[in-house]
Amino acid sequence: MRMGPAELVQAAAMARRFYLEGKSKIQIAEEFGVSRFKVARVLETALERDLVRIEIRVPAELDAERSDALRARYGLRHAVVVESPAEEQDDAPDPENLGEVAADLLGELVAEGDVLGLAWGRSTIHMAAALDRLPPCTVVQLTGVYDAGTAERGSVEAVRRAAQVSGGEAHPIYAPMLLPDPATAAALREQTGIARAFEYFDKVTVAAVSIGSWEPGISTVHDMLSDEERAHYASLGVAAEMSAHLFDSDGRRVGRDLGERCITVEADRLRRIPEVVAIAGGLRKAAAIGAVLRSGLVTSLVTDTAAADYLLTESPAGVRPALERADPDGE
């Protein structure tokens, strides 16, 4: 039905009161001397007739629709999807803007007095470099470094950077992530500085971790092992690696003996951390991200559209809400 000029003017006025001035339908009804039901009909008609246009805008690099779909599908607390590079390749590295978006997310999630844990990973290192705001908090390193010789450019520096931004204490770990044998790893865990960092693991409230596929150049742990060791763990069905923990495609932990040789936060402790944000993207990591989401160890994810499209179309069989923190091995 065509609206006359008086109806159009009234509809525009009611829409202005409701959408711009924040008045309730009851208040508008009282002002115009009509029922609130008529106000509701007029507002609905205003939308239908294009008198009112509602536009939801987020920064161009964020994909709000995929983010919400991914959060709902995996039962995550937060899912943030950024646009993949225009020329996404199977062997492309994580998009650089993942770290920047993750830094902004941590700025939202971390509260004053929290303990922030950072695990080794290129994505977490990029995230720390992009940090420009954090409330006062303690920052602790959750894993050893990939190479002790690059500590200044790696996770140690990431912890220092985060602590500098927040103005809080830093507890780095000056030790390699992977040791030759369990005895050496156990001895290092007893050293004063490392033991002090480990004491904070149970106090961590927010953690940032990276995810790797079990392939060269995509998992730092994979690259640290010998060919024989890689073949052994591959035979166990390894599909993903996170903080030196290995997972099969169903999210179950495999190759647990590797953890005995590593300086890293234990999986059980990681599961108890209230907020664990995984940062990973790209087609090459998509299946690995899915495996880790099924592990019950993470609560939130920062990824890109390429990985998100895979995660939204893969079979949902076995997917439980991430916030249940369920251990697949306990089923």
Side-chain angles (χ1 to χ4, degrees), residues 5 19 30 40 46 56 64 70 103 120 124 132 150 154 162 171 179 189 195 223 239 247 251 272 289 315 329:
Y19 291 108
E30 291 176 349
I56 300 173
L70 198 60
W120 161 266
T124 52
D132 59 11
T150 62
H171 294 277
L179 282 305
R189 293 189 199 104
D223 294 343
F247 307 88
R272 292 195 295 268
I289 296 170
S315 171
D329 294 318

Side-chain angles (χ1 to χ4, degrees), residues 154-194:
S155 45
V156 169
E157 181 56 30
V159 169
R160 287 176 174 168
R161 167 64 182 168
Q164 180 183 37
V165 171
S166 74
E169 295 182 1
H171 294 277
I173 293 178
Y174 296 96
M177 181 189 293
L178 180 67
L179 282 305
D181 53 70
T184 303
L188 276 178
R189 293 189 199 104
E190 297 298 321
Q191 290 190 358
T192 304
I194 298 175

Side-chain angles (χ1 to χ4, degrees), residues 61-78:
E61 66 178 357
L62 299 183
D63 192 309
E65 185 176 348
R66 284 185 175 92
S67 297
D68 188 56
L70 198 60
R71 178 200 57 76
R73 184 181 182 88
Y74 287 89
L76 295 160
R77 182 172 290 116
H78 304 284

Side-chain angles (χ1 to χ4, degrees), residues 220-272:
T220 51
V221 172
H222 176 282
D223 294 343
M224 285 189 282
L225 297 172
S226 66
D227 290 340
E228 183 179 354
E229 289 171 325
R230 292 170 190 158
H232 165 66
Y233 291 116
S235 71
L236 301 179
V238 175
E241 176 264 319
M242 180 182 69
S243 302
H245 299 296
L246 310 181
F247 307 88
D248 66 13
S249 59
D250 293 323
R252 299 179 186 277
R253 291 180 57 212
V254 296
R256 299 189 181 212
D257 60 304
L258 181 64
E260 298 175 3
R261 297 169 49 194
C262 294
I263 303 297
T264 186
V265 59
E266 299 94 326
D268 290 341
R269 277 176 158 175
L270 197 59
R271 197 182 306 280
R272 292 195 295 268

Side-chain angles (χ1 to χ4, degrees), residues 301-316:
L301 174 67
V302 177
T303 189
D304 69 337
T305 52
D309 285 342
Y310 173 90
L311 294 168
L312 289 170
T313 56
E314 71 163 346
S315 171

